[in-house]
Amino acid sequence: MAIYHFSAKVVSRANGSSAVASAAYRSASELHDDRLGRDHDFSNKAGVIHSEVMLPEGAPERLNDRSTLWNEVEAGEKRKDAQLAREVEFSIPREMNEKQGIQLARDFVKTQFVDRGMVADLNVHWDKAKDGTPKPHAHVMMTMRDVGPEGFGRKNRDWNDTELLKEWREAWAAHVNERMAELGLEGRIDHRSYEAQGIGLEPQHKIGPAASRRPEQGLEAERIEDHTRIARENGEKIIADPGIALDAITRSQATFTTRDLATFAFRHSDGKEQFDQVMGAVRGSFELVALGKDGRDQERFTSRDMIATEARLERAGDELEGRAGHGVGDRHRDAAIGAASAKGLVLSAEQRDAFDHVTGSAGLASVVGYAGSGKSAMLGVAREAWEREGYTVRGAALSGIAAENLEGGSGITSRTIASLEHAWGQGREQLGPKDVLVLDEAGMIGTRQMERVLGQARDAGAKVVMVGDPEQLQAIEAGAAFRSVTERHGAAEITEIRRQREDWQRDATRALATGRTGEAIHAYDAKGMVHAADTREQARGELVDGWDRARQAEPSKSRVILTHTNAEVRELNEEARGRLRATGDLGGDVTFSADRGARQFASGDRLMFLRNERSLGVKNGTLGTIEQVSAEGMKVRLDSGAHVAFDAKDYAHVDHGYAATFHKSQGVTVDRAHILATPGMDRHSAYVGMSRHRDDVQLHYGRDDFADQRQLVRALSRDRGKDMAGDYAPTRGEQDHARAFADRREIRFPELARQVVG
């Protein structure tokens, strides 16, 4: 189980620190300190496997030398209490090897620090714990002044923004999770504090074992002592209440293995004796439930709390579904359908069945619809019927862009579930018996959040309509709540694909939706839409070439480039923008201080908004085209047709928008899609990416990632659907559902007899 740690501090003279000494220690090298007139020699320090200085564009090459760099930093600061450098420290997942860990750190440092204009001194440490297990982590020392061809200039105060640190913390979690998925490694991390997650443990520092060997490192010794104290006290808390550990582990996964538990126990204990006590306390806890072995012959466990949460979810669903009185009369249904027909929207037989289902009298209704099957259009007609009956219709989704797509496609006023829960917590915007709450992209909602929302609606007497596709992108938090509810209560299904215009492409989308990924890839390959190149870099170039030709040939068509990781999105954005520059389709470049660092923007550029902002009417993932730009602000025409303007000082959460990740694209519809396949993909991301288009999709891959199409199909067919604790314990006549789930994941049913009940 990967561990999250990300901390930042300032290297300052006020506490007796020297930038040169700190750099020497981090890099395990010997550096001469011009200001102090002495050498700092840490060349005997073990465990440093990678060390480099990374320069931003325009910085003088002399700063590549670590001694020159930090002596210039020291010389430029005159105050006795001067802040010399910022240091960030983060854990690297143990599941990675050294090469993977170094690349992970380098990519993050370049994107988040160097591209913002900082000089970064990166050092990757691969220390060993007492039991021989690796403790990989990285130290990054960064300069605090702007740098140009002549050297350092003014202090950049924007880099001190606490909001920026929060975004770095979140970005590190996203970066690690993307890379773990790309490498096919299990485990995910959560950037939120234990307090924010409701976990009763204290966060720890990540300290290398050699940190206190030198008298100059007194502060490091204090941090080691503090780290040990926290680990010991956390261990004591877990021994006294093992439920704390079970709660923490099951935040992102409904079930877990012995290895997951051991990794967590090692993190939260001091020494082997306490580690054994923590493991013993959790293994002996009444709260631990053994579920049997999975297809990898690994014992799987869950907590009684997770089982109780799933039980509450079941009860809330049962009570909502069994509560009548939320129906729409035939007169209003017919009127809504007639109004839609007058506008040219004629519901298919499946859409009409789904419409009848959601406008029925039950307090809970679900719709499972394949990508591009017209779910939002059906909901738009249902909204009109509900409103004619006197209901207030509200929409909610996990992400801002999903909420925006729901509102744009159906006319249902929508927001994120988090903001809705926040309002409820403050006593605002409460649901009532005349409310219909529509949850879109419901497959991405975790069990705990789904249980809270359904429970709130049940208590308020409201109706809940859930819409989604369990086979698309999975929930970030633990569980597969939407799948579980639909298996229990049934759902209307819309399987007729409307997005794709050709029959064979609609058949391919149905294949993707039902796990027959290879069939879909072969169908597109037969039409010349799957392209292999020798390397990923070459594939990327060929993808952008094709995108550019299509852009120029059919400028009125909408299009998007999709891939798995933010790092690839950045590369694709740069290449796509280069093509527009070459054809004269962009205005003059303007340097804009965006949140992710200085960017060159011009009129005609595609833009993506990266943070919800109600006053602008934009969400995280909203796309538009720049009409005017200056260093002070922008005017943008959104793809919705709206026009927005903002000042850089008020909103700077933007980046180029030619390419996007699959997560950003769920719910998006374009004429043409261009996909760069990478090893982190699975059947869920492949389904989303290959079903965004109306006309065609071009899939590119490099043979350095996939030796041939057979390997490509194998990777893009991987099932990473999340589980529920209840999947391993068939009860109350649900053996068929559980057995089907077990068959998909190779769970051996005889082992289910080992479950603990109570």
Side-chain angles (χ1 to χ4, degrees), residues 289-305:
V289 179
L291 298 171
K293 291 185 178 182
D294 60 19
R296 298 181 179 180
D297 207 37
Q298 292 180 310
E299 288 273 6
R300 298 208 76 86
F301 303 88
T302 191
S303 67
R304 290 184 182 273
D305 179 71

Side-chain angles (χ1 to χ4, degrees), residues 248-268:
I249 295 170
T250 57
R251 285 288 155 168
S252 61
Q253 54 199 90
T255 71
F256 58 92
T257 65
T258 301
R259 179 180 178 183
D260 295 333
L261 175 59
T263 302
F264 185 85
F266 181 82
R267 169 77 167 163
H268 297 289

